[in-house]
Amino acid sequence: MTSASDRIRLFALNNLAIESAIQRVEREHDLDLGHRPAIEGGLDETYYPQFEEKIRREAADMSAHYRVFYCLENSIRSLITEVLQEKHGTGWWTSKVPDTVKNHVAGTQKKERESGIAVRSQEPIDYTTFGELGEIIKSNWPDFTDIFQDIKALEKVIATLNVLRGPIAHCKPLAEDEVVRLHLSVRDWFRSMG
């Protein structure tokens, strides 16, 4: 049985899928149906117009997929934090996270500090990769059994999402069927929740 918050999430994801499809139709037929993402505004207008129109249009199309993944990945971070903090207290990171994840995070934090840029967060979980989030859940499976139905199903969904994340994170367009797969995989994520 799906909760009200799950139905709201699915409603939002359906809307993103529809928006993506409308944008594809606009792009393929060179139409403006009012759903093209704004290219201007908030961008550095000195350099942005110098990029090819094709690349700018791909960026606008891909921004919808980035938003989906941004929301998904950060909601998973929040879920992990809430569950493990509730069950193990504020020291959960030290006691409940696999050493490989903690070591990777520590290295990333060190590189960031040494680079002289503003640190992204004070929370170590904000330095985890998408795959590492899955590892944290799996290594603490008993704490998540009241949320997720089956560990194998969860592993499959996370693996598929992690593969789909690659082109999004590395600035390459998703094939049309992969856009569909992304939306179905996000639905599978919410379906995997009890």
Side-chain angles (χ1 to χ4, degrees):
M1 184 163 161
T2 58
S3 68
S5 64
D6 287 341
R7 288 192 301 273
I8 291 169
R9 286 184 191 124
L10 286 173
F11 175 77
L13 289 171
N14 283 335
N15 286 338
L16 284 172
I18 292 167
E19 179 183 359
S20 178
I22 291 171
Q23 288 172 350
R24 182 178 37 80
V25 168
E26 286 178 323
R27 182 179 66 252
E28 289 174 358
H29 300 286
D30 197 26
L31 299 171
D32 185 1
L33 301 173
H35 287 84
R36 283 188 175 175
I39 294 177
E40 293 78 34
L43 298 171
D44 183 346
E45 294 301 324
T46 305
Y47 297 106
Y48 189 69
Q50 295 178 46
F51 295 117
E52 295 174 39
E53 174 64 27
K54 177 183 180 273
I55 293 173
R56 294 189 326 215
R57 185 67 49 218
E58 283 177 358
D61 291 343
M62 287 301 293
S63 68
H65 311 312
Y66 174 81
R67 287 193 315 259
V68 169
F69 233 98
Y70 184 95
C71 293
L72 175 66
E73 194 165 319
N74 283 295
S75 70
I76 294 171
R77 284 189 176 100
S78 295
L79 174 70
I80 290 170
T81 300
E82 289 168 15
V83 167
L84 294 180
Q85 189 165 351
E86 178 184 314
K87 296 187 181 213
H88 302 284
T90 57
W92 68 268
W93 179 264
T94 305
S95 63
K96 301 308 290 181
V97 174
D99 287 339
T100 55
V101 174
K102 287 190 284 194
N103 292 338
H104 176 259
V105 165
T108 303
Q109 288 175 311
K110 182 178 186 272
K111 284 181 196 172
E112 198 170 273
R113 277 191 312 274
E114 291 173 349
S115 71
I117 63 171
V119 295
R120 71 181 89 163
S121 175
Q122 297 300 318
E123 300 301 322
I125 197 161
D126 292 334
Y127 290 85
T128 54
T129 65
F130 187 77
E132 289 170 338
L133 294 172
E135 291 304 312
I136 294 170
I137 293 171
K138 289 189 310 184
S139 68
N140 293 283
W141 183 247
D143 295 327
F144 290 92
T145 57
D146 56 336
I147 297 171
F148 297 104
Q149 297 176 28
D150 184 81
I151 193 168
K152 293 292 184 191
L154 181 67
E155 287 174 334
K156 183 179 179 199
V157 170
I158 288 175
T160 301
L161 285 166
N162 203 22
V163 170
L164 291 168
R165 183 185 182 279
I168 297 167
H170 298 284
C171 303
K172 297 308 294 173
L174 278 177
E176 185 176 329
D177 55 338
E178 300 309 332
V179 171
V180 173
R181 192 179 325 275
L182 172 63
H183 292 286
L184 290 173
S185 296
V186 172
R187 286 181 187 177
D188 288 343
W189 166 261
F190 289 112
R191 191 176 298 117
S192 73
M193 299 173 116

